Amino acid sequence: VPRAIIVHGGAGLYDASRVPRCREGCEAAARAGWAVLERGGAALDAVEEAVYALEDDPEFNAGYGAVLNRNGEVEVDAALMETGLTSPRLRAGGVGAVPWMRHPIRVARRVLEDGAHLLLVGEGALAFGHEHGLHPERSDNMVAPRARERWIRERAGSLPPSATGDTVGAVAFDGAGFVGAASSTGGISGKRPGRVGDSPIPGAGLYALADVGRAAAATATGHGESILRALMSKLAVDAMLAGATPDEAARVSVERMAALTGGTAGIVCVDALGRVGQSRNTPFMPWAAVVDGHLESGA
Ligand code: ASP
């Protein structure tokens, strides 16, 4: 069975001139995740490394490059989830509204490994991070020029507050029976401090589930409040476990989310047959996949 990973760089209204650059960033991240799978690493490690790479890329609304809230601060959400065909334990960990954290995916991973809780937010997540040697950045190291410019233009009213865009996520199948999902975001530009979106919430921003001989994972991006209402990643995973291909499941989950909420979003999916799929109802969603060593990308 082929190993596979697919990553996305956010569903939204991209400035078309940015698309090639964002596709490249996704390709680099998919390759970073694939390198883990290729050496026999776990799906969970592959999606963590892919998201880590995207958190470092200033093009994306995650880690360095995250959008600013209405106070001009960075607050990030991130999560991971894993399950397996032969070990259907649902492992998950996430963080929400963590100030100034460049790599919240690392904190989410510690939450998952620790296992006592599933989701830590704000100061509590920071304190947990400190205990594990994961510290926030100084604010002047965390505000990417593009994020600051966007914030200034939004405040001046010359740019409509854009609901969504540039969030990152990844799903993978490792050939050893495990599927993993990961997501990371600065959320929505101009959001209230303390706002947590779909990205760190299992069932909403990501999900992974196995059931008699099948396993699947998905991660969504777009208008968080709509994704949460529809439990969009759960919709996609359920569709795959019921026999849909990842592409079909992606399409069905976007359609259902839109019918239920009127929202805009996109999603990437993987199953334990090593197949990947993606769909969106936004103008763009840069993505890249490596299946059995072959790179593919789109937007
Ligand atoms: N879903 C993210 C959120 O609402 C935003 C995005 O995907 O761009 O926090």
Side-chain angles (χ1 to χ4, degrees):
V1 182
R3 290 167 278 192
I5 181 164
I6 180 166
V7 314
H8 73 75
L13 183 65
Y14 274 71
D15 169 358
S17 69
R18 287 185 53 232
V19 168
R21 171 66 200 90
C22 291
R23 233 172 112 165
E24 270 172 39
C26 287
E27 289 179 1
R31 278 197 219 96
W34 174 255
V36 175
L37 297 177
E38 199 176 25
R39 61 173 185 259
L44 186 64
D45 294 322
V47 293
E48 181 180 347
E49 287 321 302
V51 163
Y52 184 93
L54 292 162
E55 286 176 339
D56 271 337
D57 188 329
E59 286 295 335
F60 298 104
N61 171 19
Y64 181 66
V67 296
L68 307 180
N69 68 17
R70 59 167 75 168
N71 295 349
E73 299 152 348
V74 165
E75 283 186 344
V76 292
D77 305 336
L80 293 146
M81 188 160 180
E82 177 203 62
T83 195
L85 283 171
T86 52
S87 162
R89 202 151 61 99
L90 296 171
R91 299 212 302 155
V95 292
V98 194
W100 304 114
M101 191 63 78
R102 183 172 180 123
H103 289 298
I105 201 67
R106 290 282 195 253
V107 190
R109 180 64 188 261
R110 299 317 311 168
V111 173
L112 182 152
E113 296 297 341
D114 182 71
H117 302 304
L118 193 143
L119 182 63
L120 294 174
V121 303
E123 292 301 318
L126 274 184
F128 178 86
H130 278 304
E131 282 174 31
H132 291 87
L134 300 164
H135 308 291
E137 296 287 327
R138 287 170 35 149
S139 55
D140 42 349
N141 291 338
M142 265 299 280
V143 180
R146 211 169 56 80
R148 176 174 307 284
E149 193 197 309
R150 175 176 180 168
W151 187 76
I152 291 168
R153 286 174 62 203
E154 279 177 8
R155 279 177 67 96
S158 62
L159 191 68
S162 65
T164 60
D166 311 347
T167 285
V168 309
V171 290
F173 171 65
D174 60 15
F178 286 88
V179 288
S183 55
S184 185
T185 185
I188 290 181
S189 185
K191 68 186 181 180
R192 272 182 190 275
R195 181 261 188 190
V196 177
D198 60 297
S199 302
I201 310 295
L206 76 174
Y207 207 61
L209 193 62
D211 189 26
V212 283
R214 287 187 174 136
T219 185
T221 167
H223 184 241
E225 285 71 8
S226 300
I227 295 167
L228 278 161
R229 284 191 183 93
L231 282 182
M232 188 171 159
S233 292
K234 179 74 161 73
L235 290 176
V237 166
D238 283 347
M240 286 184 276
L241 294 184
T245 67
D247 255 332
E248 287 163 4
R251 189 171 41 76
V252 164
S253 69
V254 171
E255 283 172 6
R256 184 87 181 115
M257 178 283 309
L260 288 169
T261 68
T264 53
I267 195 163
V268 292
C269 298
V270 73
D271 69 11
L273 295 173
R275 302 180 297 186
V276 298
Q278 48 83 27
S279 187
R280 56 172 165 78
N281 68 351
T282 52
F284 298 107
M285 183 183 70
W287 61 273
V290 181
V291 178
D292 219 4
H294 300 290
L295 177 73
E296 235 197 298
S297 67

PDB file of all heavy atoms in Angstrom, residues 11 61 77 164-167 185 187-188 195 197-199 221-225 227, ligand 1:
ATOM      1  N   ALA A  11      -7.630  27.786   2.518  1.00  0.00           N
ATOM      2  CA  ALA A  11      -8.668  28.104   1.542  1.00  0.00           C
ATOM      3  C   ALA A  11      -9.043  29.562   1.714  1.00  0.00           C
ATOM      4  O   ALA A  11      -9.325  30.005   2.821  1.00  0.00           O
ATOM      5  CB  ALA A  11      -9.899  27.227   1.777  1.00  0.00           C
ATOM      6  N   ASN A  61      -0.525  31.824   7.121  1.00  0.00           N
ATOM      7  CA  ASN A  61      -1.126  32.309   8.356  1.00  0.00           C
ATOM      8  C   ASN A  61      -0.993  31.247   9.441  1.00  0.00           C
ATOM      9  O   ASN A  61      -1.968  30.642   9.879  1.00  0.00           O
ATOM     10  CB  ASN A  61      -2.589  32.667   8.050  1.00  0.00           C
ATOM     11  CG  ASN A  61      -3.374  32.984   9.288  1.00  0.00           C
ATOM     12  OD1 ASN A  61      -2.825  33.290  10.343  1.00  0.00           O
ATOM     13  ND2 ASN A  61      -4.699  32.902   9.170  1.00  0.00           N
ATOM     14  N   ASP A  77      -3.610  28.815  17.001  1.00  0.00           N
ATOM     15  CA  ASP A  77      -4.258  27.540  17.324  1.00  0.00           C
ATOM     16  C   ASP A  77      -3.550  26.441  16.530  1.00  0.00           C
ATOM     17  O   ASP A  77      -3.189  26.670  15.366  1.00  0.00           O
ATOM     18  CB  ASP A  77      -5.720  27.512  16.848  1.00  0.00           C
ATOM     19  CG  ASP A  77      -6.592  28.656  17.352  1.00  0.00           C
ATOM     20  OD1 ASP A  77      -6.268  29.246  18.399  1.00  0.00           O
ATOM     21  OD2 ASP A  77      -7.611  28.933  16.695  1.00  0.00           O
ATOM     22  N   THR A 164     -10.843  34.628   5.956  1.00  0.00           N
ATOM     23  CA  THR A 164     -10.011  33.434   6.040  1.00  0.00           C
ATOM     24  C   THR A 164      -8.811  33.517   5.118  1.00  0.00           C
ATOM     25  O   THR A 164      -8.710  34.394   4.282  1.00  0.00           O
ATOM     26  CB  THR A 164     -10.809  32.199   5.594  1.00  0.00           C
ATOM     27  OG1 THR A 164     -11.217  32.416   4.257  1.00  0.00           O
ATOM     28  CG2 THR A 164     -12.000  31.957   6.459  1.00  0.00           C
ATOM     29  N   GLY A 165      -7.961  32.533   5.250  1.00  0.00           N
ATOM     30  CA  GLY A 165      -6.893  32.349   4.287  1.00  0.00           C
ATOM     31  C   GLY A 165      -5.573  31.980   4.906  1.00  0.00           C
ATOM     32  O   GLY A 165      -5.267  32.371   6.026  1.00  0.00           O
ATOM     33  N   ASP A 166      -4.820  31.198   4.174  1.00  0.00           N
ATOM     34  CA  ASP A 166      -3.407  30.934   4.460  1.00  0.00           C
ATOM     35  C   ASP A 166      -3.138  30.038   5.672  1.00  0.00           C
ATOM     36  O   ASP A 166      -1.990  29.839   6.054  1.00  0.00           O
ATOM     37  CB  ASP A 166      -2.605  32.228   4.665  1.00  0.00           C
ATOM     38  CG  ASP A 166      -2.823  33.278   3.591  1.00  0.00           C
ATOM     39  OD1 ASP A 166      -3.397  32.929   2.551  1.00  0.00           O
ATOM     40  OD2 ASP A 166      -2.417  34.416   3.800  1.00  0.00           O
ATOM     41  N   THR A 167      -4.181  29.548   6.314  1.00  0.00           N
ATOM     42  CA  THR A 167      -4.010  28.545   7.369  1.00  0.00           C
ATOM     43  C   THR A 167      -3.356  27.304   6.773  1.00  0.00           C
ATOM     44  O   THR A 167      -3.449  27.087   5.570  1.00  0.00           O
ATOM     45  CB  THR A 167      -5.399  28.208   7.950  1.00  0.00           C
ATOM     46  OG1 THR A 167      -5.796  29.281   8.781  1.00  0.00           O
ATOM     47  CG2 THR A 167      -5.413  26.918   8.749  1.00  0.00           C
ATOM     48  N   THR A 185      -2.757  27.600  12.724  1.00  0.00           N
ATOM     49  CA  THR A 185      -3.314  28.836  12.174  1.00  0.00           C
ATOM     50  C   THR A 185      -3.164  30.017  13.127  1.00  0.00           C
ATOM     51  O   THR A 185      -3.089  29.833  14.351  1.00  0.00           O
ATOM     52  CB  THR A 185      -4.817  28.660  11.860  1.00  0.00           C
ATOM     53  OG1 THR A 185      -5.304  29.846  11.217  1.00  0.00           O
ATOM     54  CG2 THR A 185      -5.636  28.426  13.114  1.00  0.00           C
ATOM     55  N   GLY A 187      -5.628  32.000  12.829  1.00  0.00           N
ATOM     56  CA  GLY A 187      -7.062  32.253  12.895  1.00  0.00           C
ATOM     57  C   GLY A 187      -7.492  33.298  11.886  1.00  0.00           C
ATOM     58  O   GLY A 187      -6.989  33.326  10.762  1.00  0.00           O
ATOM     59  N   ILE A 188      -8.375  34.147  12.305  1.00  0.00           N
ATOM     60  CA  ILE A 188      -8.956  35.143  11.415  1.00  0.00           C
ATOM     61  C   ILE A 188      -8.401  36.515  11.778  1.00  0.00           C
ATOM     62  O   ILE A 188      -8.411  36.908  12.941  1.00  0.00           O
ATOM     63  CB  ILE A 188     -10.492  35.110  11.535  1.00  0.00           C
ATOM     64  CG1 ILE A 188     -11.016  33.802  10.909  1.00  0.00           C
ATOM     65  CG2 ILE A 188     -11.118  36.324  10.885  1.00  0.00           C
ATOM     66  CD1 ILE A 188     -12.500  33.662  10.953  1.00  0.00           C
ATOM     67  N   ARG A 195     -10.323  34.326  20.819  1.00  0.00           N
ATOM     68  CA  ARG A 195     -11.113  33.550  19.864  1.00  0.00           C
ATOM     69  C   ARG A 195     -10.362  32.264  19.484  1.00  0.00           C
ATOM     70  O   ARG A 195      -9.185  32.296  19.157  1.00  0.00           O
ATOM     71  CB  ARG A 195     -11.390  34.383  18.618  1.00  0.00           C
ATOM     72  CG  ARG A 195     -12.240  33.674  17.538  1.00  0.00           C
ATOM     73  CD  ARG A 195     -11.378  33.112  16.429  1.00  0.00           C
ATOM     74  NE  ARG A 195     -12.166  32.604  15.304  1.00  0.00           N
ATOM     75  CZ  ARG A 195     -11.636  31.898  14.306  1.00  0.00           C
ATOM     76  NH1 ARG A 195     -10.344  31.632  14.289  1.00  0.00           N
ATOM     77  NH2 ARG A 195     -12.392  31.466  13.331  1.00  0.00           N
ATOM     78  N   GLY A 197     -10.685  29.052  16.797  1.00  0.00           N
ATOM     79  CA  GLY A 197     -11.420  28.629  15.607  1.00  0.00           C
ATOM     80  C   GLY A 197     -11.587  27.123  15.557  1.00  0.00           C
ATOM     81  O   GLY A 197     -11.525  26.429  16.577  1.00  0.00           O
ATOM     82  N   ASP A 198     -11.796  26.622  14.353  1.00  0.00           N
ATOM     83  CA  ASP A 198     -11.996  25.180  14.163  1.00  0.00           C
ATOM     84  C   ASP A 198     -10.700  24.389  14.250  1.00  0.00           C
ATOM     85  O   ASP A 198     -10.713  23.191  14.552  1.00  0.00           O
ATOM     86  CB  ASP A 198     -12.590  24.945  12.772  1.00  0.00           C
ATOM     87  CG  ASP A 198     -11.645  25.471  11.684  1.00  0.00           C
ATOM     88  OD1 ASP A 198     -11.406  26.689  11.658  1.00  0.00           O
ATOM     89  OD2 ASP A 198     -11.122  24.665  10.897  1.00  0.00           O
ATOM     90  N   SER A 199      -9.584  25.048  13.930  1.00  0.00           N
ATOM     91  CA  SER A 199      -8.343  24.310  13.646  1.00  0.00           C
ATOM     92  C   SER A 199      -7.902  23.348  14.739  1.00  0.00           C
ATOM     93  O   SER A 199      -7.429  22.256  14.416  1.00  0.00           O
ATOM     94  CB  SER A 199      -7.220  25.289  13.307  1.00  0.00           C
ATOM     95  OG  SER A 199      -7.601  26.072  12.204  1.00  0.00           O
ATOM     96  N   THR A 221      -9.933  23.940   6.313  1.00  0.00           N
ATOM     97  CA  THR A 221      -9.496  25.332   6.400  1.00  0.00           C
ATOM     98  C   THR A 221     -10.589  26.212   5.833  1.00  0.00           C
ATOM     99  O   THR A 221     -11.351  25.785   4.976  1.00  0.00           O
ATOM    100  CB  THR A 221      -8.197  25.559   5.609  1.00  0.00           C
ATOM    101  OG1 THR A 221      -7.982  26.973   5.474  1.00  0.00           O
ATOM    102  CG2 THR A 221      -8.262  24.961   4.208  1.00  0.00           C
ATOM    103  N   GLY A 222     -10.658  27.426   6.334  1.00  0.00           N
ATOM    104  CA  GLY A 222     -11.689  28.329   5.852  1.00  0.00           C
ATOM    105  C   GLY A 222     -12.333  29.040   7.021  1.00  0.00           C
ATOM    106  O   GLY A 222     -11.695  29.238   8.064  1.00  0.00           O
ATOM    107  N   HIS A 223     -13.608  29.378   6.867  1.00  0.00           N
ATOM    108  CA  HIS A 223     -14.291  30.122   7.922  1.00  0.00           C
ATOM    109  C   HIS A 223     -14.531  29.207   9.119  1.00  0.00           C
ATOM    110  O   HIS A 223     -15.385  28.309   9.091  1.00  0.00           O
ATOM    111  CB  HIS A 223     -15.606  30.683   7.383  1.00  0.00           C
ATOM    112  CG  HIS A 223     -16.321  31.532   8.379  1.00  0.00           C
ATOM    113  ND1 HIS A 223     -17.574  31.240   8.851  1.00  0.00           N
ATOM    114  CD2 HIS A 223     -15.914  32.637   9.039  1.00  0.00           C
ATOM    115  CE1 HIS A 223     -17.925  32.156   9.743  1.00  0.00           C
ATOM    116  NE2 HIS A 223     -16.927  33.015   9.871  1.00  0.00           N
ATOM    117  N   GLY A 224     -13.747  29.440  10.180  1.00  0.00           N
ATOM    118  CA  GLY A 224     -13.728  28.518  11.314  1.00  0.00           C
ATOM    119  C   GLY A 224     -15.091  28.303  11.951  1.00  0.00           C
ATOM    120  O   GLY A 224     -15.446  27.171  12.312  1.00  0.00           O
ATOM    121  N   GLU A 225     -15.863  29.364  12.084  1.00  0.00           N
ATOM    122  CA  GLU A 225     -17.155  29.243  12.744  1.00  0.00           C
ATOM    123  C   GLU A 225     -18.094  28.344  11.933  1.00  0.00           C
ATOM    124  O   GLU A 225     -18.921  27.623  12.495  1.00  0.00           O
ATOM    125  CB  GLU A 225     -17.757  30.631  12.979  1.00  0.00           C
ATOM    126  CG  GLU A 225     -17.106  31.423  14.131  1.00  0.00           C
ATOM    127  CD  GLU A 225     -15.690  31.922  13.852  1.00  0.00           C
ATOM    128  OE1 GLU A 225     -15.204  31.806  12.710  1.00  0.00           O
ATOM    129  OE2 GLU A 225     -15.045  32.431  14.797  1.00  0.00           O
ATOM    130  N   ILE A 227     -16.990  25.869   9.818  1.00  0.00           N
ATOM    131  CA  ILE A 227     -16.418  24.521   9.895  1.00  0.00           C
ATOM    132  C   ILE A 227     -16.802  23.861  11.222  1.00  0.00           C
ATOM    133  O   ILE A 227     -17.150  22.676  11.274  1.00  0.00           O
ATOM    134  CB  ILE A 227     -14.879  24.594   9.735  1.00  0.00           C
ATOM    135  CG1 ILE A 227     -14.523  25.095   8.334  1.00  0.00           C
ATOM    136  CG2 ILE A 227     -14.232  23.249  10.014  1.00  0.00           C
ATOM    137  CD1 ILE A 227     -13.057  25.501   8.176  1.00  0.00           C
TER     138      ILE A 227
HETATM  139  N1  ASP B   1     -10.040  27.960   9.800  1.00  0.00           N
HETATM  140  C1  ASP B   1      -9.208  29.003  10.304  1.00  0.00           C
HETATM  141  C2  ASP B   1      -9.900  29.653  11.464  1.00  0.00           C
HETATM  142  O1  ASP B   1     -11.039  30.001  11.369  1.00  0.00           O
HETATM  143  C3  ASP B   1      -8.860  30.051   9.319  1.00  0.00           C
HETATM  144  C4  ASP B   1      -8.365  29.549   8.000  1.00  0.00           C
HETATM  145  O2  ASP B   1      -8.513  28.370   7.679  1.00  0.00           O
HETATM  146  O3  ASP B   1      -7.770  30.330   7.260  1.00  0.00           O
HETATM  147  O4  ASP B   1      -9.293  29.833  12.476  1.00  0.00           O
END
